Amino acid sequence: MPGQSTRDVNGSTSSGRVELDCIHCGLPTPCAFDTDPSTVFCCNGCRGAYDLIHGWGLQDYYALRDQVSGSPAGPAGGEKSRYDAFDSDAFLGDSAPRLQSDGMATAEFAVHGLHCAACAWLIENAAARTSGWQSARVQMSDHTLRVMFDPSRIVLSQIARLMDRLGYELAPLAGKRHDHFRIENRRLLMQIAVAGFCAMNAMWIAIALYAGDASGVEANHRFFLRVIGTGLGVVAVLIPGRTFFRGALASLRTRTPHMDLPVALGLSVGTIAGLASAVSGRGDVYFDSLAVLVFLLLIGRWIQFRQQHRAAKAVDLLLRVTPMHAQRVTTDGATEWVLVDVLAIDDVIRVAAGESIAADGYIVAGETMLDRSLLTGESQPVGANQGDEVSAGTINLVRSVDVRVAATGRDSRIGKVMQSVELAASTRTPIVQLADRIGGVFVVVVTFLALLVMVVWWSSGWELAAAHATSLLIVACPCALALATPLAIAVSLGRAAKQKILIRDGSSLQQLAKPGTLWFDKTGTLTQGRPTVELIFGSDEAVRLAAQIERGCCHPTAEAIVRFVGQGVDTWPDAKSEFFRNGVIGVVDGLTVAVGNVDFMEQQSVLVGDPIFDAICTAVGRHASPVVIGVNGEAVAVVGVADPLKPHAAETIQELQRLGFRVGILSGDHRDIVDRVAVQLGVDSELAHGGLSPEDKLSIVQQRSDGNVVMVGDGANDAAALAAADVGIAVRGGAEVSLQAAPVFIASGELTSVISLIGGARRTSWLIVVAFTVSLAYNIVAVGLAMCGIINPLLAAILMPISSVSVLTLTLLWPTFRAAKERTNS
């Protein structure tokens, strides 16, 4: 169960109001000073999920969740009538249930809201306690759920509603399931398996031969072992090792030095010399070294392939931020749930309050307010009337509207943003790593020296010349050089993950080590992204009346007022309310209550006195939007609604500037709001840009006139900018796509982690330089000894891992991402 913490709402114990954590999801919830912490819920959804979990006796969920993730689950959602569509195969698509011979049915869904192993434990235990639901299997890697149920006792809509009560949302699977990735991944794993089998068995045979040299072994046994070892080595080189030969051939065709070239040469010379030794019965057979080399290099190829696939998923994830289904209006005025893919131009869809719009179009019936933060980053909702254009991915806040479809999928505005993400990711200039700069020269030098050794020693016999050349290629194998960068980065990534800094592209560390321009998104990045309310003038009773008529509205300001009032809202009798573009009016206990801005008060003939105007000025002075509350035709209270800055935001900006970065703000919010935030944070006004579209942000990020460009954001509107920047950093709380489009994700959401990230990146960059120096020094000495004939192939196979071990030891001892205590003391 989340630990309860108490915070005074207004920063003073005299306010009589405090913030307590919701006992289910942990979100701060304003409530009275004497409220029992064990009864605090932020919404009815959390209350229902809490009662359901305890009713099943699954209280261990809270302890397991906090132990595994250290963070509470998100707030539980409410039941939605759309789950009735889960009983329609046309709606489910690929998730339609499949009947089995025993009468059971299975289905697979995407699950939204999964956080950790505790979530999987809760869902699987919930299935065991639900009649007719036989089993549930959660796949955390791709956030899917496979269910087995008895269709005669329970239907999928019931399972979907039950999941909703627990705080998780089911959705049908998308049509494409990355078949190419599965095929290629399986092929690579099969190659690794074959190489691993050959390497392990060749090593055992080599041990037997080396032991035989010391203790003696019969000639026929020796010949048998040499033949078997040779066979295993040839299989490893020719089957899984052919990848390196293809790379070497491509290197020769394009005349571009590549690490595959000396590897292929070493494998070729070693194979030929080993075969000759095995047939003649003279010389050493060292196929164990060749097989192990193939095995380790293939593992590196597989890891690289997985990273590339993860980056390529950003485009698919962007499509998921828009709904997969929509309510299409039929000719007789009824509605039906259909896949967005089947919508045609000029179809009419109905979007209920609180739902996301599934396609671009224009409103043909109704008026409402729209939350466009997902697409544009605007923190304040905007009005939309009949005839106004709307975009997919925006959220309808106030009332149901009918929208005539103008564009869907990739043709929609968010679809074009998706294409810009794809283009930015594919055309971004790759970082030229230190390994690439040195590796090309190293490959040419080693290849030339190997040929030179063959020529110099040829007069002493081809076996000796081949042995010395093979020794050179093996002992000077570029493993250490190839290992230095990825190993240093891999260790740094693991240490960063312990600080809740997740990095999927290691090259970002080298970019972050160099100063440049660092752009911040505002809403949800520099600010909390969740409006809060402060009572400027009037009484708590007036705010309670306002909350009562605002309760049915999805507007962020209405939700902030309801949160401010806290406990008891859900138990009040329903109030009759009418929502307008800039306010709401309703009747509570016989009182006519109006809530909105000054213009709305004038429209409703509400008298606004001088004290109210003074309070409005006070709210503006505190960088908050004033909201007026009127009762029976007279304004009686003013509350300020603001999106507060995150803790340590100003300190983070100052430290980044001290480290040499030019820090700026890119926001879709109003220019005046951005200017106020810039003043609070000490950001140069010339670097604070407001009113930007996603395309505008992308254009500014692409202007690389003064070094590296880093983008920090958290919304789908930032996806293209995050992908186009040299380094994109996503922070907690944004859309899923931006977390995938950006190579760095700060899971804690703390801005101070940006400082830790840059410090760790600089130390990692120094580690790479030192590791390269060590590996190069080893290779220079080893190559000299091999050229002089001091090292034979057997000794070369023993010495080959030394450089890698030295790099590994250095990397593990290097303080890249230091613990919090170490940073404090340093």
Side-chain angles (χ1 to χ4, degrees), residues 793-826:
L794 176 60
L795 185 57
I798 297 174
L799 292 177
M800 183 184 69
I802 291 181
S803 60
S804 299
V805 171
S806 62
V807 170
L808 174 62
T809 303
L810 179 65
T811 301
L812 294 178
L813 295 177
W814 198 271
T816 49
F817 283 83
R818 295 178 291 187
K821 291 183 179 180
E822 296 177 14
R823 294 198 308 270
T824 302
N825 296 331
S826 62

Side-chain angles (χ1 to χ4, degrees), residues 249-267:
L249 290 174
S251 175
L252 294 174
R253 284 197 300 266
T254 59
R255 298 179 182 179
T256 303
H258 192 274
M259 287 292 186
D260 281 350
L261 188 57
V263 173
L265 282 174
L267 293 176

